[in-house]
Amino acid sequence: ERRAIAKSKLLYDCIDGSGFYGNRVRKSDRSRMNVPFHLSDPRLDAAFLAGAEARDMVQLKGHRVAGGMRASIYNAMPEEGVRRLVEYMREFAARHG
């Protein structure tokens, strides 16, 4: 549970503090396992996904109706994987924000 809390906090802190990414789920209802988020400009979604895939980060595309992105950070995902995603998100926001 401590690992799940640490991983989700790392990702939500990146999203909430960026001004570039957003999360529409109330903080009290947020999942520790599936973290949905959207970019400030949805026209950048394809570029974000392509850059993530180039870094071997796949399956980030969000639900076909809700759109955006979704990071699944279940128990098998190590904290280092979340850190790599956060690093990429910060780099992408710096380039496109």
Side-chain angles (χ1 to χ4, degrees), residues 19-79:
F20 185 81
Y21 302 101
N23 180 292
R24 297 179 180 116
V25 179
R26 284 188 312 226
K27 288 185 180 185
S28 61
D29 294 331
R30 289 179 173 180
S31 171
R32 292 184 190 144
M33 300 295 146
N34 287 298
V35 179
F37 61 96
H38 61 275
L39 283 68
S40 59
D41 183 350
R43 295 174 294 183
L44 294 171
D45 286 1
F48 179 87
L49 291 169
E53 188 170 344
R55 291 163 176 79
D56 295 324
M57 292 183 272
V58 296
Q59 306 277 332
L60 288 169
K61 186 174 183 180
H63 188 273
R64 61 182 166 78
V65 175
M69 307 297 149
R70 184 193 69 191
S72 294
I73 55 173
Y74 288 94
N75 292 337
M77 170 62 73
E79 187 172 330

Side-chain angles (χ1 to χ4, degrees), residues 4-23:
I5 291 168
K7 290 187 305 185
S8 62
K9 180 179 180 345
L10 181 64
L11 188 48
Y12 283 121
D13 285 352
C14 174
I15 293 164
D16 294 340
S18 71
F20 185 81
Y21 302 101
N23 180 292

